[in-house]
Amino acid sequence: MSHSQEFELEGVIPATLLAFDKDYQINEKASRKHIKECAVTNGISAITVNGHSSEIHACDFEEQKRILSFSLEEVGDFMPIINGVYADGSIEAAKIAKMSYKTGASALLCFPPQSMAMGGHLRPEMAVEHFKRIADATEPTSEAPIYGARFGSISLNIIENPDVPLNLAISTYNCSLITKT
């Protein structure tokens, strides 16, 4: 069942935490409780799962899918869920993005691959290709937008590129938001 909900990128959208047990395994019960508490808080317009605050860099594909799935089961019927897309490469990011939409995410929050931190910012076409691969894998619509985080000074190159989907907003390093109209 798809839980995807249309929403506006506005208001308070917390990035949820991921709980672990003493053996460093995902504590689903505690994570569900936290996600539910965030979602029922007055004024919340959506929640983000699989972001940096939930240690996404340490979770494999199946764990990311599991986190999104139980989040949707817990609150997806009444709260839009933005799923983080983090991978060391664009091909894996596209795979995660495709899974996210098929599973029912309302939107994606795409993080830059590590190559962007190691000189990639000098090659804006790398960021454009990253988003293009994600867009090609997901066929985003206005009901399921893609958002980018931490692409810094190359953000305008991404936004202005005609090959990048129109329903895109990018959060820059200084937390400002630029969008394509």
Side-chain angles (χ1 to χ4, degrees):
M1 176 180 159
S2 175
H3 294 274
S4 184
Q5 296 185 28
E6 190 173 336
F7 74 103
E8 294 291 324
L9 182 63
E10 61 186 13
V12 179
I13 305 173
T16 58
L17 303 174
L18 182 63
F20 295 94
D21 63 23
K22 65 182 179 181
D23 295 322
Y24 304 107
Q25 298 300 308
I26 295 171
N27 183 329
E28 185 173 326
K29 182 178 178 182
S31 294
R32 282 176 177 263
K33 182 178 185 283
H34 169 67
I35 288 164
K36 179 85 173 248
E37 288 172 350
C38 287
V40 299
T41 301
N42 192 25
I44 300 298
S45 55
I47 63 169
T48 302
V49 299
N50 282 328
H52 282 306
S53 63
S54 65
E55 305 299 327
I56 194 58
H57 66 279
C59 296
D60 65 26
F61 180 85
E62 291 303 319
E63 289 169 323
Q64 291 180 46
K65 185 175 182 179
R66 176 180 166 209
I67 294 162
L68 175 58
S69 294
F70 72 65
S71 300
L72 287 163
E73 288 172 9
E74 195 65 36
V75 301
D77 289 336
F78 65 91
M79 180 64 59
I81 294 182
I82 300 170
N83 194 57
V85 174
Y86 176 83
D88 281 334
S90 301
I91 293 170
E92 184 68 13
K95 178 181 169 186
I96 294 166
K98 185 174 187 174
M99 172 277 293
S100 300
Y101 278 133
K102 284 186 173 184
T103 304
S106 296
L108 301 179
L109 174 61
C110 300
F111 296 98
Q114 289 299 319
S115 60
M116 297 307 298
M118 298 186 265
H121 64 285
L122 301 173
R123 305 273 314 266
E125 66 272 16
M126 290 174 65
V128 169
E129 182 65 22
H130 184 70
F131 273 102
K132 194 168 171 314
R133 284 181 182 266
I134 290 168
D136 289 347
T138 58
E139 299 178 22
T141 66
S142 60
E143 291 81 34
I146 297 173
Y147 303 104
R150 301 184 321 113
F151 279 86
S153 61
I154 62 170
S155 297
L156 286 175
N157 295 92
I158 300 167
I159 290 292
E160 293 172 353
N161 191 293
D163 294 328
V164 176
L166 293 175
N167 53 341
L168 176 67
I170 295 182
S171 171
T172 63
Y173 285 109
N174 65 3
C175 298
S176 61
L177 188 69
I178 56 176
T179 60
K180 212 175 208 185
T181 55

